[in-house]
């Protein structure tokens, strides 16, 4: 059964490694999104480089990646629990596969390990792992974007909010530690991937979102 868990986590990593920013930018523009804009293979840079439709498709597919990976982990671990594997709590499987999927998104084996920053995919992950937390986080994100039009700052604020509220809405005291560790790990990945954005924010140089000229 341990091999089953390992294979499931590897499958989640491979799901995350399918980079839709690269795929949709190539389909719509015949360019590599990593060679333009910020160089990031994520939804925001796809929006800037290829336009609204590819950007939205990338965001939606990244969310679906997180949903699929976490759902897979949840059901496989639930099956293992029913087979008498007491440590295989479904929420453990969801978080483990969510984290593996995020790592695959950030370091995709199919795309030279050059991926996105993990924000969109975390939406799908938390829709399974902590729905109330991600709803609150998305509200904070939306308000921050409306006020500042700076996606990176909005994403970082939303990340902190989601991590904090995932603690608040944890399933039980017994399951709290794995949930906290996984949430902190995913939050740390997002912040590390935004290191250059944080520096530009501190310098007042971060670009604002602009829909003019996008199609």
């Amino acid at each position: 059964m341990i091999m089953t868990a390992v294979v499931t986590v590897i499958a989640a990593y491979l799901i995350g490694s399918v980079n839709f920013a690269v795929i949709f930018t190539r389909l719509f523009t015949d360019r590599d999104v990593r060679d333009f804009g910020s160089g990031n293979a994520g939804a925001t840079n796809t929006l800037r480089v290829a336009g609204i439709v590819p950007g939205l498709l990338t965001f939606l597919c990244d969310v679906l990646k997180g949903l699929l990976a976490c759902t897979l982990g949840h059901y496989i671990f639930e099956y293992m629990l029913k087979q008498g594997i007491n440590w295989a709590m479904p929420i453990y499987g969801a978080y483990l596969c969510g984290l593996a999927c995020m790592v695959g998104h950030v370091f995709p084996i199919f795309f030279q390990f050059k991926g996105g920053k993990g924000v969109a995919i975390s939406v799908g992950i938390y829709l399974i792992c902590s729905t109330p937390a991600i709803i609150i986080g998305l509200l904070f994100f939306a308000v921050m974007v409306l006020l500042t039009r700076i996606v990176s700052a909005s994403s970082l604020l939303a990340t902190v909010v989601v991590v904090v509220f995932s603690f608040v809405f944890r399933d039980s005291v017994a399951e709290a530690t794995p949930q906290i560790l996984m949430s902190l790990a995913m939050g740390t990945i997002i912040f590390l991937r935004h290191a250059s954005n944080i520096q530009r924010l501190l310098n007042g140089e971060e670009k604002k979102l602009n829909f003019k000229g996008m199609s």
Side-chain angles (χ1 to χ4, degrees):
M1 283 296 182
I2 291 178
M3 264 321 286
T4 301
V6 171
V7 170
T8 304
V9 171
I10 291 173
Y13 168 80
L14 294 176
I15 290 170
S17 290
V18 180
N19 192 286
F20 289 102
V22 175
I23 292 170
F24 285 126
T25 302
R26 283 178 177 169
L27 283 174
F28 280 84
T29 69
D30 200 28
R31 295 188 292 182
D32 191 327
V33 69
R34 295 167 296 182
D35 294 333
F36 299 90
S38 66
N40 180 58
T44 302
N45 200 38
T46 302
L47 181 69
R48 290 193 176 108
V49 173
I52 293 175
V53 173
L56 288 176
L57 285 173
T58 299
F59 176 79
L60 290 173
C61 288
D62 283 349
V63 171
L64 289 174
K65 282 196 305 186
L67 275 169
L68 177 60
C70 288
T71 300
L72 176 68
H74 184 279
Y75 280 111
I76 294 296
F77 272 57
E78 185 177 54
Y79 169 78
M80 291 167 61
L81 185 64
K82 290 178 180 177
Q83 300 303 307
I85 310 300
N86 294 329
W87 52 264
M89 302 297 293
I91 192 66
Y92 295 179
Y95 267 108
L96 277 172
C97 286
L99 179 59
C101 190
M102 179 178 283
V103 172
H105 176 77
V106 173
F107 303 108
I109 192 171
F110 305 130
F111 296 91
Q112 300 83 45
F113 300 100
K114 297 177 181 178
K117 296 182 178 179
V119 176
I121 198 168
S122 69
V123 175
I125 292 168
Y126 279 100
L127 281 172
I128 298 295
C129 295
S130 185
T131 307
I134 195 60
I135 291 173
I136 296 170
L138 287 172
L139 289 173
F140 271 83
F141 175 85
V143 171
M144 188 71 169
V145 166
L146 288 173
L147 291 175
T148 68
R149 289 190 292 118
I150 301 177
V151 175
S152 60
S154 305
S155 298
L156 292 171
L157 173 63
T159 297
V160 173
V161 169
V162 171
V163 170
V164 170
F165 278 94
S166 69
F167 302 166
V168 175
F169 293 107
R170 64 184 183 272
D171 285 359
S172 68
V173 174
E175 297 175 11
T177 300
Q179 286 180 262
I180 290 171
L181 291 175
M182 292 299 173
S183 288
L184 286 174
M186 287 188 274
T188 300
I189 289 172
I190 290 173
F191 264 78
L192 288 175
R193 291 291 290 172
H194 280 81
S196 59
N197 301 87
I198 293 171
Q199 187 59 55
R200 287 195 294 272
L201 285 167
L202 293 174
N203 295 336
E205 300 170 351
E206 185 72 327
K207 291 182 180 179
K208 294 185 178 183
L209 193 61
N210 186 355
F211 289 100
K212 291 182 179 179
M214 295 180 181
S215 60

